[in-house]
Amino acid sequence: MATRDVVEIDLELVGRLIASEEEKLRTAQPRSIAYQETAREHLPGGVSSSWQTAPPHPIYIDRGLGSRVWDIDGNEFVDFHNGYGAIAVGHAHPKVVEAVQRRIALGSHFAQPTEDALIVAEDLAARTGLPLWRFNNSGTEATLDATRLMRAATGRDLLLKVEGTYHGHHDALMVSVFPKPDEWGPRERPNSVAQTPGLPQSYVDLTLSVPFGDVEAVRRAFDEHPGRIAGMIVEPAMTNVGLLLPPDGWLAACKEICHANGAYFAFDEVKTGATLAWGGAIAAFGVTPDLACFAKSIGGGLPCGAIGGVPELMDLVERGRVDQVGTFNGNPLTMAASRAALTEVLVPNAYQRFDELNRVLHDGLDKVIESYRLPAHLETMGAKGAITWRAEPLRDYRDGFDVADQPSYLSWLWQLNRGIFKSPWAKWESWTTSVAHTDDEAQRYVDNFAELAEALTA
Ligand SMILES: Cc1ncc(COP(=O)(O)O)c(C=O)c1O
């Protein structure tokens, strides 16, 4: 129940506005619409990942430069989607382009180590305090390696995660990602729900979940499965229900409970790493896990993944007890791009810039939400932020079901038709800025939102 005094949004009006905004978008993107039909002949849904398509149609991109992207119809957008948060350096950053061009001319793959990997590992160690790193090719591979290491080190099979977080598409963690209300079970002891058909039930049963921010639920999970949980993996700030920051003390309490029970504690920093702060969530929230999974922004736009850990766990890799492997692990192109991104672009000054941009966004959007008394709230940190169409802040994933679908979707369409590109599935996704974004571009986001607020409340 909202305690703020907010207006009631007229859903019929929202429906009419959605219809006219969809029509506007269809008129602006005939080639994307036609291309999907052609692409469907060989690509299911016309796309390469199921999350690349969302209503009303997938948007095919031609190119990007700095803060801007252009679709295949020639429309230009300021990019706040930023490849699901992977482009904090901006598109085609000259330092990254130069590093990749230099490297590709020298050969792009040997399945043997190259020297850049150590520089990237040194940088990540400095940011996180975790001394030992291995590379792979995606966030999925990073969290896969983390679960394997925690299981190997403990000899236990069960994993604990947070209900409603996504950690990639491997079997161990594609559990309780976006469960529906009729699948939930009790809040304090959620059911384990397969995210997709194709997961063996025996795998699903090995992954338990708890609500974000609930210390007692974590304690209970360990009490109810004594000596069986290998470790817990959390996204330290949830980035797929808008942006949900951890309650004070929750991360430290989880770590303590894990350790008290002989289990390990891992951060999934695939989205928060090198975006929330220079040192990612570890620095932002002051808790160092046993393992941290990085990907997305650390690659400067190339496919990447990394796992860092304490010596006790990484020693299993050092001694060959756990095979941490992959043909393209630490591949020279990614390492060159990553080195440039981390050591030349995403340097401490960049985070001051992210704060400045977020100040423009936060102050402006907050003023709009307050003055129009919108049933929405706002969260921002580092390069990330989100408007969530629910008057009161969320506590966890289940609260996200009170977020209004239609205003979220309208807001996404509205911004798109006014030159701002945000992630599809707008109800859930946070924005990511880049070092190339300007204050004027942030202000444009705010102005569009104010115009929407006016249209909704006129
Ligand atoms: C928090 C989190 N972890 C892991 C992943 C998986 O990363 P990838 O898509 O690179 O496999 C994602 C992807 O969106 C993510 O948001």
Side-chain angles (χ1 to χ4, degrees), residues 367-447:
K367 206 177 284 168
V368 175
I369 289 171
E370 285 308 315
S371 57
Y372 287 90
R373 296 190 294 121
L374 297 179
H377 69 271
L378 180 68
E379 197 66 78
T380 56
M381 190 173 211
K384 299 249 177 228
I387 298 168
T388 304
W389 284 86
R390 181 182 192 265
E392 300 303 318
L394 311 179
R395 283 168 304 166
D396 57 26
Y397 168 75
R398 294 191 185 190
D399 282 349
F401 272 77
D402 299 339
V403 173
D405 290 307
Q406 294 300 80
S408 307
Y409 177 51
L410 171 61
S411 178
W412 179 78
L413 287 168
W414 191 274
Q415 290 284 6
L416 206 56
N417 281 324
R418 287 156 188 79
I420 298 280
F421 195 33
K422 295 192 337 179
S423 312
W425 312 111
K427 177 172 165 178
W428 305 110
E429 275 293 325
S430 47
W431 72 66
T432 309
T433 53
S434 80
V435 294
H437 281 65
T438 65
D439 287 3
D440 284 350
E441 290 170 336
Q443 188 59 44
R444 184 156 159 202
Y445 192 122
V446 174
D447 293 344

Side-chain angles (χ1 to χ4, degrees), residues 51 84 137-141 143 166-169 235 239 268-271 295-296 304:
W51 291 338
Y84 282 125
N137 302 286
S138 65
T140 295
E141 291 178 38
T143 65
Y166 177 61
H167 296 294
H169 58 275
E235 207 192 1
T239 58
D268 175 347
E269 289 234 43
V270 167
K271 275 191 169 167
K296 295 198 195 279
C304 65

Side-chain angles (χ1 to χ4, degrees), residues 19 23 139 151 219 234 240 280 287 342 369 380 401 413 447:
E23 188 48 37
R151 282 173 160 163
R219 224 185 291 283
V234 301
N240 63 342
V287 173
L342 293 174
I369 289 171
T380 56
F401 272 77
L413 287 168
D447 293 344

Side-chain angles (χ1 to χ4, degrees), residues 8-351:
E8 197 169 320
I9 298 291
D10 174 355
L11 290 180
E12 267 181 39
L13 171 63
V14 172
R16 285 198 302 279
L17 290 171
I18 284 177
S20 69
E21 292 298 318
E22 280 184 338
E23 188 48 37
K24 211 184 267 184
L25 194 64
R26 275 194 284 270
T27 308
Q29 297 185 319
R31 282 200 68 199
S32 269
I33 294 168
Y35 198 84
Q36 183 184 25
E37 286 318 305
T38 312
R40 277 197 156 123
E41 284 174 29
H42 297 295
L43 299 168
V47 295
S48 298
S49 160
S50 300
W51 291 338
Q52 288 175 2
T53 181
H57 53 258
I59 297 167
Y60 292 84
I61 298 296
D62 178 38
R63 66 190 196 281
L65 185 64
S67 59
R68 304 285 170 126
V69 288
W70 288 262
D71 67 18
I72 61 170
D73 285 282
N75 300 300
E76 178 176 342
F77 302 95
V78 184
D79 192 5
F80 283 85
H81 176 349
N82 259 329
Y84 282 125
I87 308 290
V89 293
H91 297 284
H93 192 287
K95 297 278 187 200
V96 176
V97 170
E98 198 233 310
V100 170
Q101 282 176 340
R102 189 171 2 101
R103 182 63 251 182
I104 201 158
L106 298 171
S108 59
H109 178 65
F110 314 105
Q112 288 297 122
T114 55
E115 290 178 329
D116 282 341
L118 173 59
I119 310 292
V120 179
E122 272 171 1
D123 182 276
L124 291 172
R127 287 174 194 250
T128 60
L130 290 168
L132 291 161
W133 288 81
R134 273 288 178 94
F135 297 104
N136 42 41
N137 302 286
S138 65
T140 295
E141 291 178 38
T143 65
L144 184 159
D145 282 340
T147 56
R148 182 161 299 153
L149 274 169
M150 295 194 295
R151 282 173 160 163
T154 56
R156 301 173 181 178
D157 289 342
L158 296 186
L159 298 169
L160 190 59
K161 74 184 281 287
V162 168
E163 188 178 38
T165 51
Y166 177 61
H167 296 294
H169 58 275
H170 60 93
D171 289 355
L173 294 175
M174 226 182 173
V175 177
S176 301
V177 177
F178 292 122
K180 299 185 189 63
D182 62 345
E183 301 170 317
W184 283 349
R187 183 177 213 118
E188 66 286 358
R189 193 185 287 102
N191 293 336
S192 295
V193 180
Q195 170 64 16
T196 173
L199 296 192
Q201 187 59 41
S202 51
Y203 285 28
V204 175
D205 294 341
L206 293 178
T207 301
L208 313 171
S209 68
V210 289
F212 188 76
D214 187 338
V215 178
E216 279 320 303
V218 177
R219 224 185 291 283
R220 189 177 306 116
F222 278 100
D223 287 349
E224 288 177 358
H225 303 277
R228 296 192 55 211
I229 299 177
M232 178 176 188
I233 183 162
V234 301
E235 207 192 1
M238 282 180 78
T239 58
N240 63 342
V241 287
L243 179 62
L244 180 51
L245 303 182
D248 283 348
W250 137 259
L251 296 170
C254 290
K255 178 175 169 179
E256 190 197 310
I257 297 167
C258 285
H259 286 185
N261 287 279
Y264 290 98
F265 185 50
F267 274 5
D268 175 347
E269 289 234 43
V270 167
K271 275 191 169 167
T272 55
T275 59
L276 280 196
W278 182 77
I282 291 177
F285 306 123
V287 173
T288 306
D290 303 305
L291 290 169
C293 308
F294 277 58
K296 295 198 195 279
S297 1
I298 63 162
L302 269 75
C304 65
I307 177 158
V310 293
E312 181 179 312
L313 281 168
M314 296 309 262
D315 190 49
L316 295 173
V317 179
E318 167 82 26
R319 287 189 289 126
R321 291 272 317 283
V322 168
D323 290 333
Q324 192 280 335
V325 293
T327 301
F328 280 95
N329 282 10
N331 77 82
L333 270 194
T334 297
M335 290 297 101
S338 192
R339 176 180 179 163
L342 293 174
T343 66
E344 298 190 71
V345 187
L346 297 176
V347 294
N349 279 351
Y351 297 84

